[in-house]
Amino acid sequence: VNPRLRPRNHLMVQRSRIISVTVAALLVVLLGCMPVETASENNPPSCDKDSANGEAKNIVWSVSDENKTYRLGDVFSAWFLQFWSWDKLLGDYTKIFPNSVAHLYLAEVGEPKYATRNLTALLKVLDRKDKEESYRRAKEDELVIHVRLGDVLTDPEFTDLGKSMETLWNQEEGFLNFDAYVKSNYNKAEFEVLIRRIPQQEMKKINKCVIVGGNHLTMQDNENRNKEYIDLLTTYLEGLNCEVSFYSSQNPDSDLMFMASAHWFIGAMGGFAQIAAACVNARRGWGHAIYDYFNGEISSYNDGRLSDEDFDKYSEEYVDWSKVDYDPKNFKS
């Protein structure tokens, strides 16, 4: 059995440790908002728009130099409803991020009981935006790969800065972080596992790889590790006879629209990649989005690798495909 596919229940102790130690630092540094325990209806996590043009410019779980966050992944998972009323959440996104994917998603679901990972509503929003606006679409010969830059590569809280990026890339364990629960990127060993899940006849059609990522964190320490990781991944993909390019529109909605149009997609761990992966599977067919077993946020109820125990324990982390009502014909290549 591949050690990287071991059951997830061993992570519960680590999960508790990580959350209890780092939650305040994570929310303050990464999200530009107060710790969870001090957030409330009258004093919620911050959420603001880009000062120049009102666009949702900050990548999910990132913060601009003005501490303004967008956090589409948290909207999709209904995380904000722990702190805000529905009227507050919808009202703020309507005012601060008008016509963004997050705003339109909330408007589409209509009420809180339908707000948690409602893929049907999200796809309606994306299909509608695709028809009304011009977005880059992935081509059939492109493998789209999302990477998470910033904290997971540069912050000593999450990764071993005593090891070079090359060492982490070549180690046997398939992640670049202390624990797989941390929303991480994959290293060479894990990419080899994931890419083998693309059928050989389909892989032969792929001759281009597009890496998608953005880093808008204010923290500049160890910034070189982002480039080192991209360089190592690029070299690996070139060894697969892929022409490699990097794409970031600096707008999370535009990046999502591109990733969600992919024919084949590999997503890093995290809520932003979850959304893109779910859309790809809905539009292109189950299995066209490739992800690791650990990433409960990307996978779903339908993941055949889940045990019955894991299915019950982690059900709230997954998209429930039994409730997804979508016709792939709505999205025309």
Side-chain angles (χ1 to χ4, degrees), residues 29-87:
V29 176
L30 296 183
L31 306 180
C33 64
M34 70 215 53
V36 169
E37 58 268 25
T38 63
S40 68
E41 174 71 14
N42 296 322
N43 200 22
S46 67
C47 177
D48 210 342
K49 69 179 178 181
D50 176 72
S51 58
N53 53 25
E55 291 183 349
K57 295 192 69 174
N58 302 303
I59 299 298
V60 173
W61 285 94
S62 295
V63 59
S64 74
D65 58 0
E66 297 174 330
N67 279 347
K68 297 174 179 178
T69 58
Y70 177 50
R71 296 171 64 177
L72 176 59
D74 289 331
V75 171
F76 184 63
S77 66
W79 182 84
F80 276 125
L81 291 178
Q82 299 176 80
F83 315 108
W84 292 348
S85 69
W86 174 255
D87 289 342

Side-chain angles (χ1 to χ4, degrees), residues 180-302:
Y181 174 68
V182 176
K183 296 175 172 62
S184 175
N185 290 297
Y186 310 122
N187 72 357
K188 180 180 178 180
E190 189 67 16
F191 268 111
E192 289 177 344
V193 171
L194 299 177
I195 286 179
R196 281 199 297 270
R197 295 185 191 153
I198 302 176
Q200 188 173 6
Q201 66 272 21
E202 296 296 328
M203 194 64 196
K204 290 179 180 178
K205 301 176 184 178
I206 296 173
N207 53 49
K208 297 177 183 177
C209 293
V210 183
I211 302 172
V212 181
N215 176 30
H216 306 284
L217 297 175
T218 59
M219 186 167 44
Q220 297 299 315
D221 293 344
N222 309 304
E223 186 71 21
N224 60 301
R225 291 172 73 88
N226 290 316
K227 183 179 184 303
E228 291 170 1
Y229 177 67
I230 294 297
D231 288 345
L232 288 164
L233 177 56
T234 297
T235 299
Y236 169 73
L237 295 172
E238 288 176 341
L240 301 178
N241 298 317
C242 272
E243 176 186 327
V244 183
S245 61
F246 184 85
Y247 173 75
S248 178
S249 69
Q250 301 302 307
N251 181 303
D253 283 357
S254 296
D255 287 355
L256 174 63
M257 295 294 288
F258 173 66
M259 292 189 294
S261 73
H263 293 260
W264 294 95
F265 175 76
I266 294 178
M269 301 176 98
F272 196 50
Q274 169 203 14
I275 295 172
C279 292
V280 169
N281 276 339
R283 287 170 164 176
R284 305 297 185 184
W286 185 254
H288 280 250
I290 314 295
Y291 50 82
D292 188 85
Y293 172 78
F294 288 132
N295 198 348
E297 291 186 335
I298 287 181
S299 55
S300 80
Y301 276 179
N302 299 47

